[in-house]
Amino acid sequence: MSIHVRPVPFDTPRTDLACESGRPPVAFEETTTQVGALPVTVTRRREDNGGHTVTVACGRITERGEADLPPLASLLSDELQDMATEMLGHRPDATTRILVAGLGNADMTPDAVGPGTVRRLTVTRHLRDYDETLYNALGCCELAALSPGVMGQTGMESGELVRSAATLTHPDLVIAIDALAARSLDRLASTVQLSDGGIAPGSGIGNNRAAIDQALVGCPVLGLGVPTVVDSATLVWDALEKAGMAEDDRPARLEEVLSTGRTFIVSPRDSDQMVDLTCRLLARALNEAFGVGEL
């Protein structure tokens, strides 16, 4: 499917992924392990601004079997716990309050990763007040969640609603989940990105909204996302690059056409299945890392 967005000038290939940004990291570590029939490569980057990004390249999720979801979720759960530990200064435990924000439009399939993940979470914040003995026996974090929708539905910035929820729940950590934009089709639903710098909704398609980060909500924000769309102009540039056409060889007229900003956001034809499996994977990983696991 394709979604038309407001024109924005095209200068560099649009992507939300640190591994596609072209910025050289100050530190880099990569490990590969086998999960099912496909390998999984975990890349850890330190940026020059001190930020930490983890990219989990797991292969197209729609090409994996159901049996691969649990081990993939466990691997992702370990990465989530490790990053949360680094951000909090201690391992998350029963005293840790976590707010999960599922960003995006639940009515638009490629943008429904956040709401779809939150819908599958097992929240536990209410259990602490309802039955503290039961809560302690579960051995989980205090997990709260919301789907703030998008400005066209609520008339409010998602960040405003997340900040209000944070004011109410006083979390130690906010986890903001969103669908991302990639530069390459190969990255769609095959890459999970974790970032300790929060998340800027819509940045990958030039529809920038207020960043959801520590400055906004008052506590560390872990950004969690999976790419589900590619900008059409970015797709053309990527295809030319793969075909071996150097930047100096590109026709001036092509550059002019692609720089008008009248581009489309493209998602695969199997986006329904792709997003459903992605939401199930992320929810399972979050439940395992901070909640009560699979019930």
Side-chain angles (χ1 to χ4, degrees):
M1 66 176 295
S2 58
I3 308 160
H4 192 254
V5 295
R6 63 183 177 84
V8 288
F10 184 86
D11 43 16
T12 57
R14 299 192 186 106
T15 180
D16 288 310
L17 298 177
C19 60
E20 293 183 330
S21 68
R23 299 187 306 269
V26 296
F28 181 89
E29 177 189 350
E30 186 172 279
T31 58
T32 300
T33 185
Q34 195 75 14
V35 177
L38 299 173
V40 175
T41 300
V42 179
T43 305
R44 300 175 179 85
R45 295 167 51 102
R46 293 282 180 183
E47 309 296 340
D48 55 8
N49 62 1
H52 179 202
T53 302
V54 174
T55 303
V56 180
C58 56
R60 185 66 63 87
I61 192 169
T62 53
E63 296 176 1
R64 287 184 172 272
E66 285 286 332
D68 284 356
L69 282 183
L72 266 179
S74 292
L75 183 150
L76 188 54
S77 170
D78 290 342
E79 295 298 333
L80 285 164
Q81 285 188 326
D82 288 347
M83 182 167 281
T85 298
E86 180 180 313
M87 295 172 72
L88 294 168
H90 62 84
R91 200 77 175 170
D93 56 27
T95 66
T96 306
R97 298 182 298 271
I98 295 177
L99 172 64
V100 180
L103 309 176
N105 187 343
D107 298 325
M108 187 175 290
T109 301
D111 197 31
V113 170
T117 299
V118 161
R119 183 165 59 84
R120 292 167 171 83
L121 288 181
T122 303
V123 295
T124 56
R125 179 176 180 267
H126 59 299
L127 294 179
R128 196 166 197 173
D129 293 330
Y130 178 74
D131 189 335
E132 190 166 1
T133 301
L134 171 61
Y135 173 81
N136 290 332
L138 291 173
C140 59
C141 298
E142 184 182 302
L143 198 63
L146 84 156
S147 298
V150 294
M151 182 177 282
Q153 296 170 320
T154 65
M156 294 175 281
E157 288 274 7
S158 298
E160 294 175 338
L161 296 173
V162 175
R163 179 176 58 188
S164 297
T167 300
L168 174 67
T169 60
H170 306 290
D172 301 300
L173 177 70
V174 169
I175 300 176
I177 309 170
D178 202 6
L180 306 179
R183 176 177 179 178
S184 170
L185 282 174
D186 296 336
R187 290 284 182 183
L188 299 188
S190 66
T191 301
V192 182
Q193 178 172 276
L194 292 73
S195 171
D196 65 359
I199 205 160
S203 60
I205 61 172
N207 187 29
N208 297 298
R209 312 310 315 167
I212 299 174
D213 54 19
Q214 183 163 354
L216 180 73
V217 301
C219 70
V221 179
L222 192 163
L224 175 62
V226 173
T228 60
V229 297
V230 178
D231 177 272
S232 60
T234 300
L235 191 60
V236 172
W237 289 129
D238 189 53
L240 292 174
E241 188 175 282
K242 287 181 178 178
M245 183 178 286
E247 187 172 344
D248 294 340
D249 298 331
R250 296 169 186 169
R253 177 57 182 157
L254 176 62
E255 185 112 19
E256 181 183 335
V257 170
L258 294 179
S259 298
T260 62
R262 298 186 180 280
T263 60
F264 291 80
I265 304 304
V266 182
S267 186
R269 68 178 68 185
D270 62 348
S271 59
D272 285 355
Q273 180 190 17
M274 178 183 79
V275 171
D276 177 69
L277 288 169
T278 296
C279 293
R280 288 168 54 196
L281 173 65
L282 297 184
R284 187 175 188 124
L286 288 163
N287 280 331
E288 187 174 326
F290 308 114
V292 296
E294 289 297 299
L295 296 177

